[in-house]
Amino acid sequence: MAKLVVITKGLSVLPHELNEKWITIGRADGNMFQIAAPSVSGRHCEVRFQDGELLVRDLQSTNGTFVEGKKITEGMLKPEQTLRLGEVELRLETSAPEAKPGTSFVSKMLATKAAPVVPKITLPETPKPTPAGEVNSIGVPESGVVEPGRKFQVLFVDDSMAFLEAFTELCSLLSKQTWEIHTAPTADRALSILQQHSIDLAVLDIGMPMLDGLQLLGIIRRRYPGVKIAVMTGSATEAKRADSLASGAELFIEKPVSSDGIKVVFNMLNDLVSWTHREGFTGALQHVGLQEVIQMECNSRHSSILEIRNQQLIGQIFIEAGAITHAAVGTLAGEKAFNHLLSLKGGEFQLKPFKAPPQRTVQSNWEVLLLEAARCSDEDTAFITKKSAEASAVPPAPGSPPTEPPKVSPATDDKHAVLGDDIVVVATYDGKWKPADDSKK
């Protein structure tokens, strides 16, 4: 048995029993070991008992974490040594567990003199098999179905090992083994994992040492444009939300503090990573407009290759992190190729995984490109209409008989008549009737 004992005078805090899982220590509610002292940060440090020693990690505390008087970022605490958090001292004590007849050992996750606080992140019991015909509301959504043996590669980056341990354990359970989860407590470790694995989704905490989550987000966007990114933080503000989404995050989530909250977050993340892997997404141009597809990809800051084809041609539009960087069809490239592809009235398209284009021939904003393509399409339509009208008004070929004007039939209320051979003029009228031969009758 191992426990941490507060030895600072004036603080009445019960010892905290340790196990091989990470626990957080701090002043705020939600810590597994809460110490209500002014010099202790809200989330001060985290510890894990392993092989008879205590691994200690500072969580960017204000007043520092010290092992035997030495300030540490990460260190080991041996039995009977002291750990100081700000001005509060603790000692690691170990002893053989006492077995009392008729009683079972109960691990106190959190014990203070004032009132025990139940940890907010708890793991559910092993789920029972779902009865036939009953819909399971928690689990992998339909969009998360993948081919047999294929697992989504998901990376969680957070400076708290305690949170990573609890969160990833429950996500692994909910994913039903369709996720392969990687964890990193620092940005450099996260970048190393990205180099070694083809990551589909990265979930980043903002508040991390050395390199924060927003800086890491920018690096991932530039180096790995095909990776989906979600930001998850325990201190959510509108400013952080705006900064995260503007930097290219797909989702901005407040860090869950309960198992139910983790389930909700898991379903959002699972839907996001599943959408990432819908390769081979196809459609028909007469049913779905290319403009709508391009808007969807660019607004979502996706990276993909939009391949368009009909019986005569095959063209490609490269979309990189929400920006159109290249278009090609036949001998055309750049904006001319883009305008030509969007003028097609029929065919098929397919969204393919992103690969770097052979060259970058487009610099304009995608909204400007769509407006210009629409203008060109309107001009082409007007030109075709004018040509059709001119073709219907072509003059007769040389040598063909002229077309006679239509005859107008006389009518009772009409003063005009068409002259013919059977009509004889006998008189004219210029105010007075006169015979045609100027003779008087």
Side-chain angles (χ1 to χ4, degrees), residues 428-434:
T428 61
Y429 183 78
D430 60 357
K432 292 183 179 181
W433 285 104
K434 296 180 181 180

Side-chain angles (χ1 to χ4, degrees), residues 7 34 61 75 106 140 173 198 218 222 238 260 263 306 328 360 403 430 437 439:
I7 59 177
Q34 187 179 26
S61 62
V106 178
V140 181
L173 179 66
S198 180
R222 291 190 296 272
E238 286 302 317
D260 287 339
K263 293 173 185 176
L306 181 58
R360 285 175 168 78
T403 304
D430 60 357
D437 57 359
S439 62

